[in-house]
Amino acid sequence: MTKTSAWDTGRRSTRLRLRTTVVSIAAGALAVGTILTVAPTANAATTLGASAAAHGRYFGAAIAAHKLSDSTYVGIVNREFNSITPENEMKINATEPSQGRFDYAAADRIVNHARAQGMKVRGHTLAWHSQQPAWMEGMSGSPLRQAMLNHVTQVATYYRGKIDSWDVVNEAFADGNGGARRDSNLQRTGNDWIEAAFRAARAADPGAKLCYNDYNTDNWNWDKTQAVYRMVQDFKTRGVPIDCVGLQSHFNQGSPYPSNYRTTLQNFAALGVDVQITELDIEGSGATQANTYRNVVNDCLAVPRCNGITVWGVRDSDSWRASGTPLLFDNNGNKKQAYDATLSALNLNPPSNPPSNPPSNPPSNPPSNPPSNPPSDPPPSGAGCSATFSVNAWTGGFVATVKVTAGTSAINGWSVAMNLPAGSAVTNSWSAQASGTSGAVRFGNVSYNGRLNAGAGTEFGFQGTGTAPSGAPVCTAS
Ligand code: 9MR
């Protein structure tokens, strides 16, 4: 961008305020020489979610539906996090307990809770060798491939528009040397089962980011990391729809936080995907544990496309590895030293990276040339909203990126109307809900990007065949 927009100006002044905070906190830290525990100041965010949001990122937690009646638990969840992952409720055995019979009751409780709180939802997980219902475990070959694809399609369709990122495929690579695929009934249906799952997920929910998620992929030198990297590289080269890589990041003595973690994040991001830390927990206690949490946060903030961190549980007692006390809150729900280190790392880093949330999913297969006419910053309008767009066109097709900006008041939703030339059609859209495919088309916000503060902006996009639209988009706020 060459011009200064209200969006830029707002971000810059936030940055200046945070810089001031950095100086005063750093001086205090030198004086006492201890792990930083930031006393909240007027300028520092006081919760993980708010502080991550200042960086255009989310900070989430995995939660369990059956704990939503625990007031201590829910209090922490609602206060601290702006993204939620159902820990078990979206797994295959939960959502399709018998073939063709889908049960979304438990997952819905979490999704509804998250949406009521304005949180994002990470969907976990559509295709996995583990936690398969008995009927699927017993299947193989073509019937299994069809059942898996049907599962992906049904579940992603049911939650269409409500999921920020889906773990489409989970843990498909083997541990140890060699970087081979993990043997499983799904793998035995053919090596292309992963890309088939991604294509089905894209067709079912074009607005969700589609992630490949795995563990022991944190150390750049490990064969498994390299193997996942090559798969993502191959998918990007061939236009298989993938938007993100999830690094689970379960750290313990056997699988410690590696010193090259940031390199791993950077290298995946350089493939043109977002990187998300999806299941973070760090076994240990005290300053050692706190330091590792700090390192992870600093690494993510150093990589613009590392757009969110999720911890795998709330209190230590909620963890799948409770005895390793790997989380940010103790069994009573009190903040641990690890929490303070995490929050201070978020607050100490000025939000210098461009926000990558709300997400705008890259289209899966358009040409990768930069747009010929980048969007100009929309002028501040009065109440309501305004929209501008840029187009990347080629013979027979185009990708349009639309920027929506709220006027002088906050808005709760928006809708953008555009006119397509005769013979053109919308084939795909992301970060918006499209109505109509030709002529007068309209794009409404999805769950996570409708609410915009005064002057704030968000982007969505669509892909089409034929000639790109040229007339000005008309934005209506709600
Ligand atoms: O935390 C989850 C635990 O409650 C389940 O019993 C277990 C088996 O489904 O899965 C745990 O979550 C796993 C996640 O789904 C995938 N990555 C590893 C996580 C920890 O085992």
Side-chain angles (χ1 to χ4, degrees), residues 87-88 91 124 128 131 170-171 248 250 279 312 320:
E87 186 175 0
N88 290 300
K91 291 174 180 175
H124 174 83
W128 191 20
Q131 297 299 109
N170 195 41
E171 302 175 359
Q248 293 184 10
H250 295 290
E279 303 183 15
W312 203 243
W320 67 300

Side-chain angles (χ1 to χ4, degrees), residues 344-374:
S344 71
L346 287 165
N347 281 336
L348 281 169
N349 280 283
S352 52
N353 296 325
S356 52
N357 280 335
S360 64
N361 295 334
S364 52
N365 54 2
S368 56
N369 329 339
S372 48
N373 49 342

